[in-house]
Amino acid sequence: CFVAMAPPRHRIINIVNKNSLTSEEIKLVTQYATGWAEALDTTDTTELFSARRRLIGPLSQDADMSPYVRSMYSKGVINGVSPLLDPSNTNEMGLVNALQVLSVIGSEQTSRKLLSMADVSGEKRDSARLWASIGLGKSFRVGVIPSRKLIYNARRLQSCISKEPKWFVIVEQFSALAALQNTMNIDSTELRDHKRISLELQTKTINSFVNSLRNSPFIDEKFTAMSM
């Protein structure tokens, strides 16, 4: 039986920029991340907004969260939102907010989770794939993880598009590929590579659509996505 913790009362904004933490500080970060992530599992809009705000707060530019803490924070948030991401969950509002928070974190762990939920092979809920795809676009723009891993994630997302049956999900997945051209926090050489690969993946996707239109059972959906 899943039992949620009460939302934590402490703040972590003053320690998230550290490159090492004491055992007590690790406990504070983990409890904060997991506790407020669990608090997203509500249908009360006020409580939901408060939980999302608390989770996004330590990720602000002013807080300057270190990669060390971000990895730890990611794990805590993912553990906390696991019930919302589960296919048996019926709280769609909580699910959408959980995916939005994961996209803002933008770490390797959260990007993997978003990629798995954007893939129709494993995720059958249209709304989950939609918001996971939107989230990937945000994570591509944030540029928290190394450039080569962002590109790897973009290539994985491109492989999801050919299997996607819903045009409105395809549109967001295509937009996410385009977002790779606007990655922040990388140098000019990496940005040129991002722009080149983004265009390459978009072109590959369009060519794949054109070649599969006659034989695809989703011809109407794909044609609609291409016309957007």
Side-chain angles (χ1 to χ4, degrees), residues 47 93 104 141 158 162 179:
E47 292 178 359
M93 186 165 61
V104 175
R141 283 189 293 271
Q158 194 276 330
S162 61

Side-chain angles (χ1 to χ4, degrees), residues 19 21-22 26 28 57 62 74 79 113 126 133 136-137 141 150-151 156 158 196 205 209 212 216 221:
N19 293 312
L21 298 176
T22 66
I26 290 173
L28 289 174
D62 291 341
S74 299
N79 286 340
K113 180 61 68 174
D126 297 345
S133 300
L136 283 167
R141 283 189 293 271
L150 281 175
I151 292 171
R156 280 194 58 193
Q158 194 276 330
R196 175 180 57 81
T205 300
F209 281 176
S212 66
S216 173
E221 296 279 357

Side-chain angles (χ1 to χ4, degrees), residues 5 65 99 122-123 145 156 176 179 187 212 218:
M5 297 187 297
M65 183 179 284
L99 292 171
E123 178 55 67
I145 63 178
R156 280 194 58 193
D187 62 37
S212 66
F218 309 119

Side-chain angles (χ1 to χ4, degrees), residues 170-183:
I170 293 173
V171 168
E172 294 303 336
Q173 291 178 340
F174 197 84
S175 294
L177 293 181
L180 193 65
Q181 299 179 68
N182 301 309
T183 305

Side-chain angles (χ1 to χ4, degrees), residues 3-175:
V3 179
M5 297 187 297
R9 295 179 179 273
H10 63 273
R11 297 181 181 274
I12 59 171
I13 198 77
N14 60 327
I15 60 173
V16 296
N17 64 341
K18 294 185 176 182
N19 293 312
S20 64
L21 298 176
T22 66
S23 57
E24 181 60 28
E25 288 172 332
I26 290 173
K27 183 178 178 181
L28 289 174
V29 170
T30 302
Q31 287 180 341
Y32 185 96
T34 303
W36 282 113
E38 289 175 347
L40 291 172
D41 195 356
T42 178
T43 55
D44 184 297
T45 54
T46 301
E47 292 178 359
L48 187 61
F49 176 80
S50 175
R52 187 178 64 187
R53 181 170 55 83
R54 299 276 187 167
L55 287 166
I56 292 175
L59 298 161
S60 68
Q61 286 188 338
D62 291 341
D64 193 25
M65 183 179 284
S66 70
Y68 169 73
V69 174
R70 189 179 296 268
S71 177
M72 188 183 309
Y73 194 75
S74 299
K75 183 177 180 181
V77 171
I78 290 172
N79 286 340
V81 300
S82 289
L84 287 170
L85 305 184
D86 190 271
S88 63
N89 169 51
T90 58
N91 181 1
E92 186 166 333
M93 186 165 61
L95 168 64
V96 169
N97 278 269
L99 292 171
Q100 289 175 334
V101 170
L102 294 182
S103 72
V104 175
I105 296 174
S107 67
E108 292 184 46
Q109 300 101 310
T110 58
S111 294
R112 283 196 298 269
K113 180 61 68 174
L114 290 171
L115 275 167
S116 69
M117 297 199 68
D119 190 345
V120 71
S121 299
E123 178 55 67
K124 304 307 180 185
R125 294 169 295 178
D126 297 345
S127 61
R129 298 196 310 280
L130 173 69
W131 285 98
S133 300
I134 293 171
L136 283 167
K138 291 181 180 178
S139 71
F140 290 163
R141 283 189 293 271
V142 170
V144 170
I145 63 178
S147 176
R148 61 182 176 81
K149 293 187 177 180
L150 281 175
I151 292 171
Y152 172 78
N153 289 344
R155 294 191 187 281
R156 280 194 58 193
L157 177 61
Q158 194 276 330
S159 71
C160 294
I161 299 178
S162 61
K163 299 176 286 184
E164 177 55 51
K166 297 299 182 182
W167 70 266
F168 52 87
V169 179
I170 293 173
V171 168
E172 294 303 336
Q173 291 178 340
F174 197 84
S175 294

